Every structure is written in C-alpha cells, then in structure tokens.
Amino acid sequence: MPTEVEPAVLQRLLDLQSEDTAIKRLADRRESLPEARRLAEVNENLAELEADLQIANRQNADAGREQERLEGEIELLDQKVAREEQRMYSGNVANPKELSSLQAEVEALKRKKSSMEDELLDVMERKEQIGETVQTLSAEREEAARESAELTAKVEGLTGEIDSELKVHESERLGVASTIPDDLLALYDKLRETKNGVGAAALEDGTCQGCHTKLPAKEVERVKSEGGLQRCDNCRRILVVP
C-alpha cells in the first residue's frame, strides 16, 4: 500500500465515507421502521384471529347440525307419542297387559323426549355463546385487517422514499469510488467491514473522528507534516487531515 496519496484523493475518501454512512443509516432505518414492526405484530394477530374464527365457525356449524338433529328426533318422538296415545285412548286395546305395556312405552318415550329437550337446550345455549364469539372475533378481525391495510400502505410509502434516497446515495458512491485508486479503496472497504462501517475519518482538533480519541500533540504534528496515507494509532482507521 503506497503511503503517497494526494490530499484531494483523501478528501474524496471522506466523501465516500459520507455516502457509505448515509447508505448505512438509510438501510438501518428501512430495517427498523416502527411501522413495519407494528405491521408484523398486527399481521400475526390477524392470522391468529382468522384461525380462531375458523375454529369458532366450525364449532358453530357443528352445534347447528346437532340442534337440527335433536329437533328432528324430538319431532319424531312427538309423533310416536301421539300415535301411541291415540292407540291407548282409542278403546281398541282392551287387554290390560297390552294397555299397561303401551302406557309404559309412552312414559318411556316422554322421558326420552324430556332428556333430549334438556340436551337441545344445552346445545342451543352453547350455539348462542359460540355465535357471540364469532361476532366478537369477526369484529376484531375486521379491525385488524383495517389496521394492516393502513400500515401496509404507510410502510410501502416510507420504504419507497428510503429506497429513492438509497438510489441517489448509491449512485453518488459509485461516482466517488471510481476516482479512488483500487488499492486505497480496497483498504478502506476492508476497514469499513471491521470498524462498524467507518473506514476513514477526519482528524479534527487533534481528535480522530472515527474513534473520538485525542491524539498526542507530537503525533498530530507528525501526521500533519508527513501527509499522505496516515492511520489512527488507536483504531487504525485511515486519518484524513484537513
């Protein structure tokens, strides 16, 4: 790596650093948008609500079918009880034993009907509760979907603005980088990868702006008098003297 580097080239290196810093800032902002984080949370909640709503709808449909089955069976029992009572009171059955058997069957049918009516009442109550759950979940899902749509539009707008700025800085970076010698550019890029995105820093008031370390007066004097490519003794970034 040659140490003889023109001051103008070093200044362009600071310009390149400025573009890289702007690009990193924009990229970090794009990745950490509060709206994007909120959108992820809302979409996760929306997915859970949709899954819960599917389950509730299935339960509601099952309860509806169970209600229809019970109502149908109760109706058939009513018809059977009516037929058996008609036989019992028609006078056509004179045998006491047969009449007693018929009466026992009617009572058994009525007990079965009463039990099924209790079961039907439980099903109807459960169906009503499930219906309320479906309404609540539907309202929450609609609200979440609305917020998701609003946030999606907002995030798309913000990322679009950031991407536009990124394109400008990336274009500027290409232009500046093309004027810097390959070996110096390679050193700068290598340092930038290991130094939190900062490969070159200005020396201002005897302080390295990369690590913010105050250099000894003699070191500052040496750096200024020698010129060319200089490195910070503390952080090893490229030092650019104004």
Side-chain angles (χ1 to χ4, degrees):
M1 171 65 61
T3 58
E4 296 299 324
V5 181
E6 295 181 4
V9 174
L10 290 171
Q11 289 299 321
R12 286 198 295 274
L13 201 60
L14 279 186
D15 294 337
L16 184 63
Q17 180 64 72
S18 177
E19 295 301 330
D20 281 330
T21 299
I23 289 169
K24 185 178 185 300
R25 174 180 54 79
L26 288 167
D28 289 346
R29 183 185 168 205
R30 194 183 196 284
E31 291 299 317
S32 61
L33 284 172
E35 294 84 357
R37 288 199 301 271
R38 176 58 185 163
L39 176 59
E41 293 172 358
V42 170
N43 283 342
E44 183 179 353
N45 182 48
L46 181 58
E48 291 177 359
L49 286 170
E50 288 175 344
D52 290 345
L53 187 56
Q54 286 181 358
I55 293 171
N57 279 326
R58 284 198 299 270
Q59 291 175 338
N60 193 44
D62 290 344
R65 286 190 291 271
E66 181 68 6
Q67 179 179 342
E68 290 178 1
R69 181 187 69 79
L70 288 168
E71 288 173 343
E73 291 184 8
I74 289 171
E75 184 178 355
L76 290 175
L77 282 173
D78 277 337
Q79 294 171 3
K80 192 169 183 179
V81 167
R83 286 197 304 270
E84 297 303 316
E85 284 184 334
Q86 185 179 8
R87 283 183 60 205
M88 191 168 58
Y89 298 122
S90 65
N92 294 328
V93 181
N95 187 308
K97 187 176 180 180
E98 184 179 353
L99 191 62
S100 177
S101 176
L102 190 59
Q103 184 176 7
E105 183 180 357
V106 168
E107 290 175 354
L109 288 171
K110 287 183 177 180
R111 286 195 299 272
K112 184 177 181 180
K113 177 190 172 185
S114 177
S115 176
M116 293 185 74
E117 285 175 338
D118 290 341
E119 188 178 350
L120 175 61
L121 183 60
D122 289 340
V123 170
M124 291 174 68
E125 289 177 351
R126 186 170 76 251
K127 189 174 185 299
E128 183 179 358
Q129 292 172 351
I130 295 171
E132 292 174 355
T133 299
V134 167
Q135 289 182 346
T136 300
L137 288 172
S138 296
E140 290 179 0
R141 183 188 63 175
E142 287 179 10
E143 175 61 23
R146 180 196 61 75
E147 186 176 0
S148 176
E150 290 178 355
L151 284 168
T152 297
K154 191 167 187 179
V155 169
E156 287 176 352
L158 291 170
T159 53
E161 292 175 5
I162 292 171
D163 288 344
S164 295
E165 288 187 58
L166 275 170
K167 285 181 181 179
V168 171
H169 287 290
E170 286 168 352
S171 177
E172 289 291 331
R173 186 193 195 280
L174 283 174
V176 176
S178 66
T179 69
I180 297 173
D182 292 342
D183 52 358
L184 180 60
L185 183 61
L187 173 62
Y188 163 79
D189 284 334
K190 183 179 180 180
L191 288 168
R192 194 163 57 86
E193 288 176 6
T194 59
K195 300 293 182 180
N196 197 30
V198 180
L203 180 66
E204 296 180 359
D205 296 326
T207 300
C208 170
Q209 297 303 303
C211 61
H212 303 288
T213 298
K214 183 80 171 177
L215 275 62
K218 285 186 178 181
E219 178 65 11
V220 173
E221 252 182 61
R222 183 191 67 77
V223 168
K224 288 183 176 180
S225 63
E226 287 184 3
L229 180 64
Q230 299 290 337
R231 306 274 293 274
C232 173
D233 279 346
N234 182 61
C235 67
R236 303 304 296 160
R237 290 181 175 93
I238 298 170
L239 275 180
V240 180
V241 183

